[in-house]
């Protein structure tokens, strides 16, 4: 084991990369993961056991297999630890598309939550969201006007869905919408595991002048259960430098501005 660029990686980042590797390859052995991440078998076993307990992978004799399927969706707490540096960098770049006084929409998600933490840099925005975490942060830390969709709370995901949420959002019009993505694919479009969530995303897209998609590289080429938009319906896609360049070129060919940022910058 030696020479791996992953050596010295923080534990949470290593676990994020393990999930990504297993999902991409559908399975992995302890030996493969030891070689890739240049850590001991005991460390890998401990990582796999912890990820299995959270339902992020399924532990097998000698390794692990992916739990990923088109309708699989991690809850907010589990997603929050994944690709944190990439999400922060993407969120910072997104500030370039906000002007003082704008009315902006914030989709539910951990990357949009990173963006909302940065909105303390502005003094007068109008913000529309259906995400409870985002609304709570804005209420406690800013003087921005906040419109929160009504509706039923989706358990363990910290956001609101259903007809009441749609009724709140359908007559609100936005200067810029920041979307979060479960699946981003040049051909199959933007997808999400939940039908109610897809309806809300469609509504927000229809009512927005400018659409910016925020997603770390792990979301690219993923396809979830239901499509809510073609890639060509967004104006800008901000992701990190870990993204597959061929996939990004295919997205650019849909007349989308693609911006890549490096984690930590």
């Amino acid at each position: 084991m030696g020479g791996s660029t992953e050596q010295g990686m923080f534990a949470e980042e290593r676990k994020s990369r393990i999930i990504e590797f297993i999902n991409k390859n559908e399975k992995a052995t302890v030996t493969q993961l030891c070689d890739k991440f240049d850590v001991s078998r005991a460390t890998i076993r401990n990582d796999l056991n912890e990820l299995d307990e959270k339902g992020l992978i399924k532990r097998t004799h000698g390794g692990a297999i992916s739990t990923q399927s088109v309708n699989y969706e991690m809850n907010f707490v589990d997603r929050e630890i994944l690709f944190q540096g990439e999400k922060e960098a993407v969120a910072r770049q997104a500030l370039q598309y906000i002007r003082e006084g704008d009315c902006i929409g914030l989709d539910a998600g951990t990357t949009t939550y990173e963006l909302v933490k940065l909105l303390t840099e502005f003094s007068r925005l109008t913000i529309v969201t259906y995400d409870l975490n985002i609304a709570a942060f804005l209420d406690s830390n800013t003087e921005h006007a906040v419109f929160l969709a009504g509706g039923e709370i989706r358990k363990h995901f910290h956001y609101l869905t259903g007809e009441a949420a749609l009724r709140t959002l359908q007559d609100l019009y936005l200067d810029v919408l920041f979307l979060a993505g479960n699946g981003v694919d040049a051909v199959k479009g933007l997808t999400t595991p939940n039908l109610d969530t897809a309806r809300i995303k469609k509504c927000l897209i229809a009512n927005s002048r400018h659409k910016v998609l925020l997603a770390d590289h792990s979301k690219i080429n993923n396809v979830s259960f239901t499509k809510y938009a073609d890639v060509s319906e967004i104006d800008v896609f901000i992701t990190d430098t870990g993204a597959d360049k061929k996939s990004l070129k295919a997205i650019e060919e849909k007349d989308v501005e693609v911006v890549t940022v490096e984690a930590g910058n």
Side-chain angles (χ1 to χ4, degrees):
M1 295 184 293
S4 169
T5 58
E6 272 87 3
Q7 189 169 16
M9 187 182 298
F10 289 115
E12 293 305 328
E13 185 180 355
R14 183 182 63 248
K15 283 180 270 193
S16 296
R17 302 294 184 184
I18 288 171
I19 294 168
E20 181 182 21
F21 182 82
I22 292 172
N23 285 339
K24 181 177 180 180
N25 296 282
E26 298 185 351
K27 61 183 179 179
T29 66
V30 170
T31 300
Q32 284 177 313
L33 296 171
C34 287
D35 290 343
K36 180 171 179 59
F37 296 100
D38 200 10
V39 292
S40 70
R41 297 178 72 84
T43 297
I44 289 296
R45 288 193 190 100
N46 288 338
D47 287 349
L48 294 180
N49 289 337
E50 181 180 331
L51 295 172
D52 178 79
E53 287 174 7
K54 291 182 175 181
L56 303 176
I57 53 96
K58 182 171 178 57
R59 190 78 163 89
T60 62
H61 180 70
I65 60 174
S66 174
T67 58
Q68 194 173 68
S69 67
V70 293
N71 63 357
Y72 175 70
E73 186 175 8
M74 286 184 285
N75 64 32
F76 181 90
V77 174
D78 291 333
R79 284 183 288 129
E80 198 171 21
I81 69 169
L82 300 179
F83 305 106
Q84 185 65 24
E86 287 86 346
K87 290 172 183 176
E88 290 172 358
V90 167
R92 172 61 63 181
Q93 184 66 30
L95 292 177
Q96 307 302 315
Y97 299 90
I98 302 174
R99 299 172 301 178
E100 196 71 73
D102 273 352
C103 180
I104 69 172
L106 292 174
D107 196 6
T110 50
T111 307
T112 46
Y113 186 69
E114 290 304 319
L115 172 58
V116 83
K117 294 177 187 177
L118 303 175
L119 297 186
T120 55
E121 299 180 15
F122 296 85
S123 58
R124 52 181 186 87
L125 298 172
T126 299
I127 299 168
V128 175
T129 191
Y130 62 105
D131 186 299
L132 294 170
N133 292 318
I134 286 173
F137 180 90
L138 290 167
D139 182 54
S140 298
N141 297 281
T142 76
E143 296 300 319
H144 300 316
V146 181
F147 289 80
L148 177 64
E152 180 181 358
I153 296 174
R154 189 175 177 213
K155 293 293 186 183
H156 310 299
F157 289 87
H158 302 179
Y159 65 78
L160 298 140
T161 60
E163 291 298 328
L166 280 170
R167 284 196 298 272
T168 306
L169 298 171
Q170 64 188 4
D171 294 325
L172 300 178
Y173 296 92
L174 310 171
D175 292 306
V176 57
L177 168 66
F178 294 96
L179 280 166
N182 294 91
V184 182
D185 185 276
V187 175
K188 296 181 180 177
L190 309 182
T191 54
T192 186
N194 184 269
L195 284 166
D196 282 340
T197 308
R199 294 175 69 198
I200 289 177
K201 289 174 181 283
K202 284 180 181 180
C203 175
L204 290 169
I205 289 170
N207 288 3
S208 301
R209 184 179 303 166
H210 197 62
K211 281 82 67 176
V212 181
L213 177 65
L214 311 178
D216 66 72
H217 70 275
S218 69
K219 309 297 176 56
I220 298 172
N221 298 328
N222 281 356
V223 179
S224 292
F225 178 59
T226 184
K227 177 181 173 181
Y228 61 88
D230 289 317
V231 167
S232 59
E233 292 180 59
I234 62 171
D235 301 297
V236 181
F237 175 36
I238 306 176
T239 188
D240 63 89
T241 51
D244 176 67
K245 290 180 173 55
K246 183 177 179 181
S247 299
L248 292 183
K249 188 174 188 301
I251 291 171
E252 281 184 316
E253 289 172 354
K254 300 291 184 178
D255 200 25
V256 176
E257 177 188 351
V258 174
V259 181
T260 57
V261 293
E262 188 172 348
N265 287 355

